[in-house]
Amino acid sequence: MKKTFSILFLSLGLLVFSQQIESFTTILNDKISIRALEVDGDKVWYSGTDSKLGFVDLKKIKNQKQIRLSEIKLQFRTLAQDKDSLYAVNIESPAYFYKIDKKNLKYQLVFTDMSKAAFYDAFHFVNEKLAFAFSDTDDNRLKLTRYKNGEWSFFENKVKLNPGEAAFAASNTNIASTKKYLWIATGGKSSRILRLNFKTEEIEIFNTPFIQGESSQGMYSIDFYDDKFGVAVGGDYTKQEANVDNIATTDDGGQTWQIQASGKNAGYTTCVKIKPGSKGKEMISVGDQHISYSFDSGKTWKKISDEKGFFVCRWINGTTIVFAGKDRISVMKLKF
């Protein structure tokens, strides 16, 4: 009987992952590298190289528009949004914070970081009145730019990063939040979780068992379902096939992390997103060399596509995901 059940469950597992992709359609081709996406209704917004920012209408693919935020060829790897506007900040110094009106694409410069070490890895709105942008720093201090109630400023804190501890602007997703917390994932020679409590404005620091020790290693992306459950992915971008200690989950809000699927996943991963409405059970991830899926809260993973050159993904709804990366944006529809 046990053998029969084992065969049955194996068959069901294979069925779950077979014929999973219903369609995979490219909706934008351009000479651009995209590492940041936002979805607002029927529009997919993106920012990228050569100061480019734009949108594609999912219902009317031909309805798309692109602008350049600067005559200088800036690189944008961040994008954030509130109800009416988009916000983007470029990597490298000086760092220019742009606010873009969603209706008419008119933009304005709202803040500038002139520090020589400015390199913004992620930009994230917690709610309509609160946002954070995370930057590299030249003195091992945690550097956050905060938008609060219409005002921009540097968030004062006493957190010191370890030598060689930094972050990766791989997909604009090393920041995540709920109503109670903001989490930041670091990488490099030290890969840790920093957790900001909004009520107390105190930051706690938690060590992780994630691969670390080299400048190319660590967590690249995190996502949280609620105040307790979260997932982190990453690895080593110089060793794309390496798949040891590069996925982890937490059940206590980031205080402790459990390595998952070590040696049994598709390797280096730049973005992970939990499926809306799945209670943290289902999630999709993408790396330069693969797209992978988990049905069991990140414990096991199945590569569902060998598509290369994607860096970031976002759920559009429960069956549709948008991907972006080198020279394109594509939409995948899943069939369960």
Side-chain angles (χ1 to χ4, degrees):
M1 184 64 71
K2 288 183 179 180
K3 185 175 181 181
T4 302
F5 276 123
S6 297
I7 294 173
L8 175 61
F9 288 139
L10 177 60
S11 299
L12 287 173
L14 292 173
L15 180 62
V16 164
F17 285 111
S18 64
Q19 304 299 320
Q20 197 171 32
I21 299 175
E22 182 176 308
S23 64
F24 203 5
T25 307
T26 295
I27 60 174
L28 176 75
N29 282 116
D30 188 25
K31 190 175 181 181
I32 184 175
S33 177
I34 301 171
R35 293 181 179 270
L37 290 173
E38 288 287 350
V39 176
D40 182 24
D42 295 325
K43 288 183 178 179
V44 173
W45 294 90
Y46 64 90
S47 63
T49 49
D50 290 343
S51 299
K52 293 178 179 180
L53 179 142
F55 73 82
V56 181
D57 191 319
L58 292 168
K59 287 191 174 180
K60 300 177 181 178
I61 303 302
K62 291 184 178 180
N63 178 25
Q64 49 184 271
K65 188 172 182 178
Q66 185 182 93
I67 61 172
R68 279 186 165 89
L69 296 174
S70 173
E71 293 181 0
I72 305 170
K73 289 188 176 182
L74 302 176
Q75 289 192 52
F76 290 93
R77 297 187 183 182
T78 63
L79 191 63
Q81 67 171 329
D82 60 19
K83 181 180 178 181
D84 300 315
S85 304
L86 293 154
Y87 301 81
V89 55
N90 60 287
I91 60 173
E92 300 175 343
S93 178
Y96 301 109
F97 285 67
Y98 290 91
K99 179 180 180 180
I100 306 97
D101 189 297
K102 290 181 181 179
K103 290 183 179 180
N104 55 31
L105 295 188
K106 290 184 178 180
Y107 58 90
Q108 58 180 311
L109 187 63
V110 293
F111 188 74
T112 304
D113 182 351
M114 298 298 295
S115 64
K116 292 182 179 180
F119 191 108
Y120 279 84
D121 302 288
F123 200 167
H124 174 78
F125 264 77
V126 177
N127 54 50
E128 292 291 303
K129 297 182 178 180
L130 181 64
F132 290 88
F134 178 32
S135 172
D136 292 354
T137 180
D138 57 0
D139 59 1
N140 284 345
R141 291 181 303 111
L142 172 64
K143 185 176 184 180
L144 292 174
T145 297
R146 178 172 66 176
Y147 170 84
K148 186 175 183 180
N149 298 322
E151 299 291 331
W152 297 88
S153 64
F154 295 114
F155 180 70
E156 294 186 9
N157 66 88
K158 298 180 180 179
V159 174
K160 283 279 189 179
L161 300 180
N162 291 328
E165 183 177 12
F168 300 106
S171 62
N172 193 44
T173 55
N174 55 20
I175 294 181
S177 70
T178 57
K179 290 183 179 180
K180 186 175 181 179
Y181 297 117
L182 178 85
W183 293 269
I184 298 171
T186 65
K189 293 187 176 181
S190 182
S191 190
R192 302 187 294 174
I193 288 289
L194 316 179
R195 187 177 74 179
L196 169 64
N197 186 308
F198 292 129
K199 186 176 182 180
T200 64
E201 291 203 340
E202 294 180 352
I203 297 176
E204 299 173 280
I205 305 174
F206 306 114
N207 293 322
T208 77
F210 225 86
I211 184 172
Q212 55 196 283
E214 301 293 337
S215 60
S216 55
Q217 297 176 340
M219 290 178 284
Y220 281 69
S221 176
I222 56 174
D223 198 15
F224 274 77
Y225 167 71
D226 55 20
D227 291 337
K228 297 293 186 180
F229 179 76
V231 59
V233 300
D236 187 334
Y237 75 82
T238 67
K239 301 174 183 177
Q240 300 259 330
E241 295 181 0
N243 62 357
V244 175
D245 296 346
N246 66 317
I247 298 175
T249 59
T250 179
D251 292 305
D252 56 13
Q255 297 180 63
T256 61
W257 292 79
Q258 297 75 47
I259 293 294
Q260 307 289 4
S262 185
K264 298 179 180 179
N265 64 80
Y268 168 69
T269 304
T270 55
C271 186
V272 63
K273 284 294 174 183
I274 296 171
K275 178 180 176 179
S278 71
K279 297 183 179 181
K281 295 294 183 182
E282 296 179 48
M283 56 190 73
I284 198 159
S285 69
V286 63
D288 289 5
Q289 307 292 317
H290 70 95
I291 298 171
S292 297
Y293 204 95
S294 175
F295 275 94
D296 57 4
S297 301
K299 293 180 177 63
T300 62
W301 291 81
K302 174 70 175 182
K303 183 167 67 172
I304 62 172
S305 174
D306 288 310
E307 287 284 341
K308 295 176 174 56
F310 288 118
F311 311 130
V312 58
C313 61
R314 290 275 186 176
W315 286 93
I316 297 172
N317 55 48
T319 59
T320 312
I321 309 104
V322 59
F323 297 86
K326 180 175 171 52
D327 300 334
R328 60 178 169 156
I329 298 176
S330 299
V331 173
M332 176 186 288
K333 291 186 178 181
L334 299 178
K335 185 177 181 180
F336 295 100

